[in-house]
């Protein structure tokens, strides 16, 4: 009798957020070569467009060579 209780419930009970994450990972796994092709362009943008922003931030700070920061 105990084996019949809950028999109609699905074996994979997950929250909607967990299902969404699982679906996203399945899509990423399916398109992994597309992401590999995009990686050099993304790295180029990060390296040459965002990393130099640190120099701009330093340019507008009060810096004295004698006192430091």
């Amino acid at each position: 009798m105990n084996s019949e209780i809950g028999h109609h419930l699905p074996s994979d009970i997950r929250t909607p957020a967990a299902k969404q994450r699982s679906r996203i990972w399945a899509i990423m796994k399916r398109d992994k070569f597309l992401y590999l092709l995009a990686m050099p362009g993304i790295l180029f943008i990060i390296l040459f467009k965002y990393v130099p922003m640190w120099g701009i931030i330093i340019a507008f700070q009060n810096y004295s060579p004698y006192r430091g920061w």
Side-chain angles (χ1 to χ4, degrees):
M1 182 84 181
N2 286 341
S3 63
E4 294 178 12
I5 297 174
H7 182 67
H8 63 280
L9 294 174
S11 62
D12 188 21
I13 300 174
R14 295 186 295 178
T15 63
K19 289 179 184 178
Q20 181 70 21
R21 279 193 303 268
S22 175
R23 190 175 327 146
I24 289 171
W25 281 112
I27 292 170
M28 289 181 71
K29 185 176 178 184
R30 181 190 69 197
D31 297 332
K32 61 186 168 198
F33 294 113
L34 179 64
Y35 293 122
L36 285 174
L37 283 172
M39 192 61 60
I42 293 169
L43 290 175
F44 178 84
I45 290 171
I46 290 171
L47 185 65
F48 292 108
K49 300 295 181 185
Y50 287 106
V51 172
M53 291 292 179
W54 290 357
I56 293 173
I57 292 171
I58 291 173
F60 290 103
Q61 292 182 357
N62 265 340
Y63 175 74
S64 170
Y66 300 108
R67 292 185 303 152
W69 295 104

